Amino acid sequence: MVSSAIPGTGRFARGLHPDDKKSISAGAGIEVLPTPKSVLIPLLQHIGAPCEPAVKPRAEVRLGQAVGEAKAFVSAPVHASIDGKTAAATVTTLPNGRHVAAIPITAAEEQSLSGQALWEDIYGGQWPTDGLGSFDPEQIVTAVRSAGLVGMGGAAFPTHVKLTPNEKRPVDTLVVNGCECEPYLTADHRLMLEAPAPIITGALLAARAAGAERIIVAIEDNKPDAAEAMAAAAEGTPVQVAIVQTRYPMGGERQLIPAVLGREVPTGGLPLDVGVVVVNVATAAAIARAVIRGKPLTHRVVSVTGEGINQPKNLLVPLGASYAELVAFCGGLADSAGRVIAGGPMMGFALAELDVPVTKGTSGVVVLTEEQLRRAEQTACLRCGRCVDVCPAGLVPTKIALAARHQDWETARRYYLTACFECGCCAYVCPANIPLVQLIRTGKATMPKE
Amino acid sequence: MPVAPGPHIGTGRTTRRVMIDVLLGLVPVFAAACWVFGWYALMQVGICVASCLAAEALFTAMRRRPVSLGDFSAVVTGVILGLSMPWRCPVHVDVVASFVAIGVGKVIFGGLGHNIFNPAMVGRAFVTIAFPALLGAGGYLYTGSGTPPTDVVTAATPMTVAKHLAAGKAGQVAGLWPLFLGNVNGSLGETSALACLVGGLYLCIRRTAAWQIPLGAVLAVAVIAGVGNLLHPQAQWTVLHHLLGGALLYGAFFIATDPVTSPLTPRGKFIFGAGMGALVMVIRTYSGYPEGVQFSVLLMNATVPLLNRWTVPRPVGGPVPAPKAQA
């Protein structure tokens, strides 16, 4: 039974609803990617400090063995995602443009886990919902931390930091984010359909760690089958399933928390400030795996979709597998392919080359065709205010972007440059085709700190 | 593979498409003008569009910038200007108005997107002052001998009648039905309230025009005229006459909604519209002009930077907190 008894209205102000294109891959059941010949494990796959290498070159490593250690609090260790042999660390460029150190692993002939056995090990079997009281909060946080868990919705913020209780700011509600508001992406959708049980178990554990009494799984109303599956799995537990409006960017914390709970996260603050912790559904499932089975984060579900890919699929892939491997397994790029995007088409990054590793925050690979790309010529701002009409943060994007372009920091501050979270709604609607997000992002990076 | 920043998809709507939308919204108004004034509507609009395009080409070439006729903004200015003219306006007045509109109203500021005042209204205000006889009340009346081109042009415009009544002279007030349909004398595009509503609502639904502007204008006129009616219950010129007569609806839907010269924020847009409506009432009631849309729009254009500044929306989650002082 899907419950709708939530304090919020299920909506947020402004935002937009692009054609979601979910049907391209929503029907494709999750397939396990055959073990690649090699993977490349970046030592920084999250927000925070990079890991230090924990293995020597030419060392034999087993699936799940730590290859990078987190020394800082806001950091997360990384683990081998296949059995194999390491090589000397190299540097790779992640889709977001960061150059990071990475450890290559060449696959061994014999893999301990692959195919269906791997799926069973990660998401299959029984997931308890009773007796979780035997895990104390500290134990859960420790397990989550050593498993290298980070937010798998895209932001990749270390999960143990969110779950560590803070005496000054008690948490009363855990929101499990199953919105998947980016167009095209269906990885979370498929996971909710095919593995709802570990998500529920993970949610119960996360709530226990954070001290939350109320647990709400929020799902957009374009995925009724996922909501049904989650509600069935949540039967007999305190977990509530709430349907929210399908509207981009519902999956953003600053939109989801008002929609579900009617609480507004203060600008410059965190969900914690209003007593809320938000975790993505895939993260919740990984929490269950870390705590119940003691296994680290080594694999994730990735949608490979779009009009420019020959066989759209949802794949369970080892972290560090290259995008080229995923694309090849999906029948390769169509002749019409014009751009390959890591993540969704609104906030994702275009790939210059496909020889880049999948990381913990990679939710999808979207291949767009040449005709679909926003390619019109840039014209002067008409001051039409469409960007103002859609900005979910309630900003005036054109003023901020043009102030940033002219390095007029006083104006940029007056219009709250730093409150922008770069969802891209403004640039999506701009008839003058001004790269508003890019200008604002550059502005944030170059604005002098007071 | 070539990369570019996100978002990687868009609506596909361009500046040119926005301008084409405005032209589509003007179709009913132009059709009504042709119905009421015959070939005169086509002629006036044609001359203004041709002159605006010529002016745009000339002035942008003089600035050594690429000539941008393809964005259709000069066509929009030409159509809006042409439809704001009296039916019998001489050709040279149209040409002067168009060149002033594009040259002084737009290109001098740096072209589309940079101008402060509505270009069409700059051009029209210039000729209103430069050729008062041709754009005043007499400019609308048929004075020749023989059969007039259409019936309506033998009568004074409804706004002139209203002015006469207010001055205590005699006059026949136009019926509400003719004012609604448009078979009265007046500027080409303003006579049919119905056509303005149909085209204007299309623009609002397409979000090519911001609905807050016409709403603010209509509400302001309705409230002020309503108070006037309560004070003078015997007046023949009622609230509905104020709303349907003259250029209020044409101005509120097609002129004030020019995005470049109106505010960015929803609240600013409403205040802008309301201010325009209030100024229209002030000019209609107290000035020597029978109608005041062009001056109202120009005056409100000047307030836009202030309105933008005063109506910065509150971000979701409140303003950015001030950085903590270093201890």
Side-chain angles (χ1 to χ4, degrees), chain B residues 40 87 142-151 153-154:
Chain B
Y40 287 91
W87 62 277
Y142 178 70
T143 52
S145 51
T147 326
T150 60
D151 305 338
V153 300
T154 56

Side-chain angles (χ1 to χ4, degrees), chain A residues 278-294:
Chain A
V278 181
V279 296
N280 167 268
V281 285
T283 313
I287 291 171
R289 177 168 149 82
V291 177
I292 306 284
R293 300 188 179 169

Side-chain angles (χ1 to χ4, degrees), chain A residues 240-437:
Chain A
Q240 250 183 299
V241 175
I243 306 289
V244 293
Q245 189 190 18
T246 301
R247 195 161 184 84
Y248 181 84
M250 181 61 88
E253 294 178 335
R254 283 162 199 283
Q255 283 63 51
L256 187 59
I257 294 171
V260 172
L261 296 171
R263 299 180 195 169
E264 204 175 273
V265 182
T267 303
L270 294 169
L272 200 60
D273 294 326
V274 291
V276 183
V277 168
V278 181
V279 296
N280 167 268
V281 285
T283 313
I287 291 171
R289 177 168 149 82
V291 177
I292 306 284
R293 300 188 179 169
K295 296 285 181 67
L297 180 61
T298 53
H299 289 72
R300 66 158 298 146
V301 181
V302 176
S303 294
V304 185
T305 177
E307 286 85 347
I309 190 92
N310 283 327
Q311 297 157 26
K313 290 179 199 281
N314 295 291
L315 301 175
L316 180 67
V317 304
L319 299 174
S322 87
Y323 285 90
E325 195 98 30
L326 273 57
V327 165
F329 186 69
C330 293
L333 300 179
D335 294 336
S336 57
R339 193 174 292 169
V340 182
I341 300 156
M346 294 296 290
M347 290 185 78
F349 295 93
L351 292 175
E353 48 187 278
L354 294 181
D355 202 12
V356 181
V358 167
T359 60
K360 295 172 184 176
T362 305
S363 45
V365 184
V366 178
V367 187
L368 296 180
T369 64
E370 197 61 43
E371 303 89 78
Q372 289 174 300
L373 298 176
R374 216 163 40 87
R375 274 277 165 79
E377 193 195 346
Q378 191 183 147
T379 50
C381 174
L382 290 176
R383 290 180 255 167
C384 63
R386 278 187 178 80
C387 53
V388 183
D389 292 351
V390 298
C391 178
L395 305 174
V396 186
T398 177
K399 283 277 184 192
I400 303 174
L402 299 186
R405 177 182 272 170
H406 299 118
Q407 312 216 328
D408 172 1
W409 305 126
E410 197 210 315
T411 306
R413 280 206 182 88
R414 181 147 43 82
Y415 284 93
Y416 312 114
L417 168 76
T418 52
C420 169
F421 56 95
E422 304 171 19
C423 66
C425 288
C426 51
Y428 178 88
V429 297
C430 181
N433 206 37
I434 299 169
L436 293 154
V437 186

Side-chain angles (χ1 to χ4, degrees), chain A residues 28-342:
Chain A
I30 301 171
E31 291 178 50
V32 180
L33 183 77
T35 308
K37 288 200 176 59
S38 67
V39 294
L40 183 62
I41 311 283
L43 291 174
L44 177 66
Q45 305 189 24
H46 49 261
I47 294 178
C51 299
E52 316 250 330
V55 288
K56 294 204 159 54
R58 288 185 299 284
E60 298 279 344
V61 290
R62 307 283 296 164
L63 170 67
Q65 183 181 336
V67 296
E69 305 171 325
K71 296 273 165 70
F73 178 63
V74 183
S75 183
V78 294
H79 302 82
S81 56
I82 55 175
D83 298 327
K85 195 177 207 177
T86 61
T90 70
V91 171
T92 185
T93 306
L94 295 182
N96 63 14
R98 277 193 82 156
H99 302 288
V100 301
I103 295 179
I105 302 174
T106 311
E109 292 279 316
E110 288 288 307
Q111 291 291 322
S112 52
L113 280 173
S114 62
Q116 190 59 29
L118 182 69
W119 171 267
E120 287 301 323
D121 185 72
I122 295 179
Y123 293 124
Q126 293 300 308
W127 295 94
T129 53
D130 293 326
L132 299 177
S134 61
F135 296 97
D136 59 62
E138 267 170 50
Q139 190 185 351
I140 298 170
V141 172
T142 309
V144 165
R145 185 175 185 182
S146 54
L149 291 198
V150 305
M152 291 164 81
F157 187 76
T159 305
H160 68 269
V161 181
K162 283 198 218 175
L163 296 184
T164 305
N166 180 330
E167 275 175 22
K168 286 186 198 139
R169 287 174 288 184
V171 169
D172 59 45
T173 307
L174 175 84
V175 176
V176 182
N177 189 347
C179 292
E180 201 164 46
C181 61
E182 275 269 7
Y184 291 92
L185 304 185
T186 55
D188 288 349
H189 184 184
R190 288 312 307 183
L191 190 68
M192 287 189 280
L193 283 180
E194 298 181 40
I199 300 173
I200 298 292
T201 302
L204 292 165
L205 289 166
R208 183 161 169 72
E213 279 157 22
R214 179 168 207 170
I215 307 170
I216 302 174
V217 183
I219 301 170
E220 285 189 341
D221 58 15
N222 60 352
K223 295 181 269 290
D225 51 348
E228 287 297 328
M230 290 302 294
E235 202 73 52
T237 72
V239 178
Q240 250 183 299
V241 175
I243 306 289
V244 293
Q245 189 190 18
T246 301
R247 195 161 184 84
Y248 181 84
M250 181 61 88
E253 294 178 335
R254 283 162 199 283
Q255 283 63 51
L256 187 59
I257 294 171
V260 172
L261 296 171
R263 299 180 195 169
E264 204 175 273
V265 182
T267 303
L270 294 169
L272 200 60
D273 294 326
V274 291
V276 183
V277 168
V278 181
V279 296
N280 167 268
V281 285
T283 313
I287 291 171
R289 177 168 149 82
V291 177
I292 306 284
R293 300 188 179 169
K295 296 285 181 67
L297 180 61
T298 53
H299 289 72
R300 66 158 298 146
V301 181
V302 176
S303 294
V304 185
T305 177
E307 286 85 347
I309 190 92
N310 283 327
Q311 297 157 26
K313 290 179 199 281
N314 295 291
L315 301 175
L316 180 67
V317 304
L319 299 174
S322 87
Y323 285 90
E325 195 98 30
L326 273 57
V327 165
F329 186 69
C330 293
L333 300 179
D335 294 336
S336 57
R339 193 174 292 169
V340 182
I341 300 156

